[in-house]
Amino acid sequence: VQLKLAQNRLALVRQKKANLNAQARREIATLLEQGKEQSARIRVETIIREDFLIEGMELVSLHVDTLLARFALLEQQGVDPGISESLIVVLYAAPRIDIKELMNFREQMVYKLGKDFVLGCSDNYKGNVNPRVVHNIGVITVDPQLVSGYLNNIAEAYKLDWRDEVEIKEQVSVQPSQPVSQVPYQPITPLAPQLSSDGRPSDTTQVSYLTIDR
């Protein structure tokens, strides 16, 4: 029951954050139009962090889906390899995102699997949590070039005559022999989660499974 409630809450929170980010983009476009570039840079960092968090919550949601689809394995003794990765991710995410139902599920797992196991997952002490989840729901230092990419995207979306010279200079410094007019612009955005054939998130980094002796 807690997992199903958590899934619904995750969807609602993601949608709310996406709507707030859309509104914030409009406000940043206004700041750029008014020449308040420094304020726009500060505001866009918040959007970037929220975008990463939204993606991280999408990944967590996919793992919740896996646990719901394989709930019979969750009720067995110990941790079945078929759900271990998803269980680890959900237990890691529970104290880091504001979803009460995930914390309720975590408490249930403390009773079922033991406090040491749950704390081990929460602390990622064996490094078994999907690295993309760790990054996206953690404390992120925003790269200046990513800020530039977002600002240029916003300016383009709202048809503003504005372009971040910082990004252009950084691109030229990588290829100094290439004229600015020929430097291709490729906005940098958080990667969308890649899914495997069974609907679970995949990653180029192989994540080992954490198992429990039965």
Side-chain angles (χ1 to χ4, degrees):
V1 174
Q2 293 300 323
L3 282 176
K4 187 62 179 175
L5 292 173
Q7 186 70 299
N8 294 336
R9 183 65 63 85
L10 280 166
L12 289 173
V13 173
R14 292 201 314 270
Q15 187 58 53
K16 180 178 180 181
K17 287 181 177 295
N19 291 340
L20 290 174
N21 268 9
Q23 178 181 342
R25 280 175 166 83
R26 289 192 293 271
E27 294 171 355
I28 288 171
T30 300
L31 290 173
L32 291 176
E33 193 173 25
Q34 295 173 347
K36 300 178 180 179
E37 295 183 11
Q38 189 58 37
S39 296
R41 290 183 187 279
I42 295 171
R43 290 289 302 278
V44 86
E45 288 189 10
T46 300
I47 289 181
I48 293 170
R49 291 189 181 95
E50 287 294 285
D51 277 352
F52 275 119
L53 180 58
I54 290 169
E55 182 192 316
M57 293 175 74
E58 288 173 352
L59 291 171
V60 173
S61 181
L62 290 170
H63 285 292
V64 172
D65 277 342
T66 299
L67 294 179
L68 286 170
R70 303 175 183 179
F71 194 76
L73 297 178
L74 190 60
E75 292 182 316
Q76 294 178 3
Q77 180 91 16
V79 179
D80 189 280
I83 60 169
S84 60
E85 180 183 3
S86 293
L87 183 60
I88 291 167
V89 167
V90 171
L91 293 177
Y92 175 83
R96 290 173 172 82
I97 55 181
D98 189 22
I99 303 294
K100 181 181 69 173
E101 290 80 4
L102 285 182
M103 285 300 293
N104 292 341
F105 172 74
R106 181 177 181 272
E107 290 304 312
Q108 292 176 349
M109 291 301 100
V110 169
Y111 179 77
K112 175 179 171 55
L113 300 172
K115 184 177 181 180
D116 290 343
F117 174 76
V118 172
L119 288 178
C121 294
S122 298
D123 295 339
N124 193 23
Y125 78 104
K126 285 193 175 181
N128 290 326
V129 179
N130 185 315
R132 187 176 292 168
V133 173
V134 174
H135 174 269
N136 286 7
I137 68 175
V139 178
I140 299 170
T141 301
V142 181
D143 188 281
Q145 200 167 1
L146 186 56
V147 171
S148 297
Y150 264 70
L151 289 174
N152 284 333
N153 277 345
I154 291 171
E156 182 179 354
Y158 287 89
K159 302 185 184 336
L160 302 179
D161 185 18
W162 188 91
R163 176 79 169 173
D164 189 6
E165 296 298 326
V166 172
E167 186 187 40
I168 294 176
K169 290 177 182 177
E170 288 183 0
Q171 289 177 334
V172 172
S173 67
V174 176
Q175 298 180 346
S177 62
Q178 190 174 12
V180 171
S181 61
Q182 297 178 12
V183 177
Y185 170 55
Q186 297 180 345
I188 307 171
T189 56
L191 296 174
Q194 302 296 316
L195 307 183
S196 60
S197 58
D198 63 356
R200 296 171 62 192
S202 61
D203 196 285
T204 54
T205 304
Q206 296 296 317
V207 181
S208 59
Y209 287 122
L210 176 65
T211 58
I212 297 179
D213 293 334
R214 301 189 175 209

